[in-house]
Amino acid sequence: MKSDAVKKGAQAAPHRSLFNALGFTKEEMERPLVGIVSSYNEIVPGHMNLDKIVNAVKQGVAMAGGTPVVFPAIAVCDGIAMGHIGMKYSLVTRDLIADSTECMALAHQFDALVMVPNCDKNVPGLLMAAARVNLPTVFVSGGPMLAGHVHGHKTSLSSMFEAVGANAAGKIDDDELKYFEENACPTCGSCSGMYTANSMNCLTEALGMGLRGNGTIPAVYSNRIRLAKEAGMAVMEMYKKNIRARDIITKEAIINALTVDMALGCSTNSMLHIPAIAHEIGFDFDIEIANEISEKTPNLCHLAPAGPTYMEDLNEAGGVYAVMKQLADLGLLNTDCMTVTGKTIGENIKHAINLNPEVIRPNDNPYSGTGGLAVLKGNLAPDGSVVKRSAVAPEMLKHEGPARVFDCEEDAIDAIKGGRIVEGDVVVIRYEGPKGGPGMREMLNPTSAIAGMGLGSSVALITDGRFSGASRGASIGHVSPEAAVGGPIAFVKEGDIIKIDIPAMKLDIDISDEEMEKRRSEWRPREPKVTTGYLARYEKLVTSGNRGAILNVPG
């Protein structure tokens, strides 16, 4: 056992004395030491139930012969952090979570780990840590929220943000806004659409790091407690068989995850997190791989905000495994990849069935023949940009319009809510990238304001920042290189014509090469927005969005 370094022999007597101080018995010290990484806190709705999940995991580990030991991971609620300085602190926690988990796991010589995340940055942060420390590891999340109900229709957080835009436009009054507010988010859990948290939790199943149902069983269902106990028992089986994280998180598994991502219509944030996870196993992930996979992968699901179905509907339809089975039937998955069950992907999904073809479209009737995400390149984004094309109105798949340029999110929101953005405009928000933000804020407020004001099918938004999974419409993010490092988005001027062609994967500004070079020569870097604290350190180390905003290791 790895933990023998702190439990066995005369040299470990001081260590054992500290275990005695913890109340450990001799029997507990003779068993494998299983770290349970708990993201529980009382500020994130998706995490408020994790104490129950953690307790169930502890029971599962103990029943299977291990000694469970809980330690924490931080979590930010992206919804509460949205639209103010707090959003600068969301993406950056991914690396804090990975780093702190690595520190705890190796400092205390755990034999295995169970990761208990739920919301946006915890899942990728803990996947990065799992790949890095390479122990037997299982993921079990807190589960998605049930959908809200407004005027007899299911709804979710994205509708709530759009209601704010509708209120600003005078389309609904304050009483109606209050009604939305009280009915959009009815339970604990990660917000109920295919937003970033649920996207990443579903992808734990596609990667093979989570048990069946990890991405879709609602937070309030008792089956989630059973799943947690099973996860605790599963990690002990992995320990006995010496199945480790990097036996599961392989290049082939990452390609599987991206394929499932395309079929599900996941958040654009997955195109930040998948490259970062790939980096941990030494896989140099080029985001343009997404286009190759998208071209052959049907989009089978339109969950909110792309459509009227929610995570509870996907769960009842057969979940991620049903989607994976259809993809495997098309020969699009590597079914030989190992999983936390000790079986291959193919063995796991063999008997999965699509129970609702309205929620998971059959292979012969997909929403589209291509996947949910696209990477656009051109003279405005030489290194790429990302759009959730499954959530784009058909009339906006190709669009040309004048640039309305803003150097921060707040200025753009003021213009949108002030009625200064009109049909046909292309809103450009820059200096919000990983370095420029710093922290690459999500732009849910401006995209929701555009949708709520009835402009979602006529106005595009382009940014070197990123979007919430709750954003919909022609929202193109991760523009790379970003403005702060002199990317072409820094050279856009008010009124320039921006050309968007999503089917052709193109994003261009309609100026000559000579004009582009002239503007480049005139551009000067800006002083950093933040000069102290963690964000200042982050700004110095972070890379661009097309590389997953990973941190450069100095030297």
Side-chain angles (χ1 to χ4, degrees), residues 153-177:
H153 298 285
K154 287 184 176 180
T155 191
S156 63
L157 186 66
S158 56
S159 300
M160 184 68 250
F161 274 91
E162 290 177 15
V164 174
N167 178 258
K171 295 187 174 185
I172 64 172
D173 61 21
D174 290 349
D175 288 341
E176 180 70 357
L177 183 64

Side-chain angles (χ1 to χ4, degrees), residues 23-44:
F24 276 51
T25 64
K26 177 175 177 292
E27 290 77 11
E28 285 176 302
M29 283 191 274
E30 289 174 348
R31 297 175 178 180
L33 207 59
V34 180
I36 302 173
V37 187
S38 170
S39 302
Y40 169 78
N41 66 40
E42 295 182 342
I43 190 64
V44 183

Side-chain angles (χ1 to χ4, degrees), residues 53-298:
I53 302 299
V54 167
N55 284 336
V57 172
K58 289 174 69 176
Q59 291 179 55
V61 168
M63 285 191 291
T67 297
V69 184
V70 179
F71 64 88
I74 63 169
V76 164
C77 176
D78 277 23
I80 295 174
M82 194 70 65
H84 54 88
I85 191 173
M87 183 45 68
K88 294 179 184 287
Y89 286 91
S90 172
L91 178 60
V92 304
T93 65
R94 185 188 70 184
D95 296 274
L96 279 175
I97 291 161
D99 293 350
S100 62
T101 302
E102 173 195 357
C103 291
M104 290 293 288
L106 298 182
H108 301 102
Q109 294 291 285
F110 286 105
D111 296 300
L113 297 170
V114 180
M115 306 297 199
V116 187
N118 210 25
C119 290
D120 295 18
K121 308 310 170 296
N122 290 81
V123 188
L126 291 177
L127 281 166
M128 290 163 65
R132 199 180 295 174
V133 303
N134 197 30
L135 294 172
T137 305
V138 175
F139 277 68
V140 57
S141 76
M145 185 184 292
L146 293 179
H149 291 268
V150 173
H151 299 306
H153 298 285
K154 287 184 176 180
T155 191
S156 63
L157 186 66
S158 56
S159 300
M160 184 68 250
F161 274 91
E162 290 177 15
V164 174
N167 178 258
K171 295 187 174 185
I172 64 172
D173 61 21
D174 290 349
D175 288 341
E176 180 70 357
L177 183 64
K178 181 73 171 175
Y179 176 73
F180 266 86
E181 178 184 328
E182 292 177 345
N183 291 280
C185 298
T187 73
C188 64
S190 47
C191 297
S192 57
M194 188 55 79
Y195 310 146
T196 305
N198 292 326
S199 295
M200 294 308 301
N201 281 320
C202 286
L203 295 187
T204 63
E205 293 188 54
L207 280 169
M209 291 297 292
L211 297 174
R212 181 176 189 171
N214 185 51
T216 60
I217 297 171
V220 295
Y221 283 13
S222 297
N223 199 23
R224 176 64 58 178
I225 301 297
R226 292 199 295 272
L227 183 74
K229 292 175 183 175
E230 290 163 3
M233 291 186 278
V235 82
M236 292 307 300
E237 283 301 307
M238 291 180 70
Y239 171 77
K240 292 169 188 173
K241 296 175 180 176
N242 196 29
I243 299 172
R244 297 168 178 263
R246 284 205 292 269
D247 296 324
I248 297 170
I249 306 175
T250 62
K251 179 179 179 179
E252 293 75 19
I254 287 170
I255 297 300
N256 276 351
L258 187 53
T259 302
V260 175
D261 183 307
M262 293 295 175
L264 287 172
C266 290
S267 164
T268 53
N269 280 312
S270 63
M271 293 305 295
L272 280 176
H273 302 321
I274 289 175
I277 296 161
H279 177 73
E280 296 293 342
I281 64 164
F283 174 18
D284 187 12
F285 184 95
D286 184 336
I287 62 169
E288 226 173 340
I289 295 172
N291 288 343
E292 298 172 25
I293 293 173
S294 180
E295 284 306 303
K296 58 187 179 183
T297 305

Side-chain angles (χ1 to χ4, degrees), residues 345-370:
I345 287 285
E347 291 173 304
N348 285 347
I349 66 175
K350 184 177 181 180
H351 301 295
I353 300 171
N354 180 356
L355 299 172
N356 189 339
E358 296 300 315
V359 176
I360 305 171
R361 288 280 186 92
N363 287 340
D364 61 0
N365 184 35
Y367 282 101
S368 67
T370 54

Side-chain angles (χ1 to χ4, degrees), residues 394-415:
E395 58 268 35
M396 290 297 288
L397 290 171
K398 290 187 177 182
H399 179 76
E400 292 185 17
R404 305 298 308 280
V405 184
F406 305 94
D407 287 348
C408 67
E409 177 189 8
E410 289 82 358
D411 289 351
I413 292 170
D414 286 345

